Amino acid sequence: MKTILNVIWLVLCGLWMFLGYIAAGLLLCITIIGIPFGVAAFRIGVYALWPFGYTVLDRHDAGGGSLVGNVLWVILAGWWLALGHIFTGIALCVTIIGIPLGIANFKLIPVSLMPFGKEIVRTDEPFATR
């Protein structure tokens, strides 16, 4: 079932959200200071491309650097990416078939606003740590 949802997701909004994250990542990687933000954008972009079958977990070992990174992220890119998820989520919820996809879009909003201190893992291993 997750494969079918991922394919429908890819066609309806996954590719566009992925391209948005890649564009944000490339813009953020222009400076050396922005490279960690660009890497975070690429990581979330891959998750936004195939979200079904994966989940986001909080990393409890994340420190104050994650807080500072998240504040800067919201200012630089998070706000615009979250708006993209909101608009596509509302558009997908218009149809009955799109409701699960719209809900998945709304679940991507927290990680698009605060990516630092989060880990993306497969749903069959939610307690796995690196």
Side-chain angles (χ1 to χ4, degrees):
M1 186 65 167
K2 66 183 174 185
T3 304
I4 294 170
L5 286 172
N6 275 328
V7 170
I8 295 171
W9 172 272
L10 179 69
V11 171
L12 294 179
C13 71
L15 182 63
W16 304 113
M17 293 307 298
F18 173 73
L19 292 176
Y21 278 104
I22 295 302
L26 290 174
L27 285 174
L28 291 168
C29 282
I30 291 174
T31 64
I32 293 174
I33 296 172
I35 290 175
F37 300 102
V39 170
F42 297 144
R43 182 172 48 98
I44 300 169
V46 172
Y47 176 53
L49 188 63
W50 298 103
F52 296 100
Y54 292 92
T55 188
V56 177
L57 297 177
D58 290 328
R59 291 185 55 188
H60 298 291
D61 61 345
S66 294
L67 175 67
V68 172
N70 281 330
V71 170
L72 291 173
W73 173 268
V74 168
I75 295 168
L76 296 173
W79 174 252
W80 299 107
L81 295 169
L83 280 177
H85 286 296
I86 290 170
F87 290 136
T88 56
I90 290 171
L92 286 169
C93 284
V94 171
T95 64
I96 293 174
I97 294 173
I99 290 174
L101 303 174
I103 292 171
N105 239 326
F106 296 139
K107 288 182 180 180
L108 280 166
I109 293 172
V111 75
S112 71
L113 281 175
M114 294 181 282
F116 296 103
K118 308 272 189 210
E119 187 174 6
I120 300 168
V121 297
R122 296 179 59 83
T123 54
D124 55 356
E125 52 189 47
F127 299 107
T129 58
R130 292 184 192 166

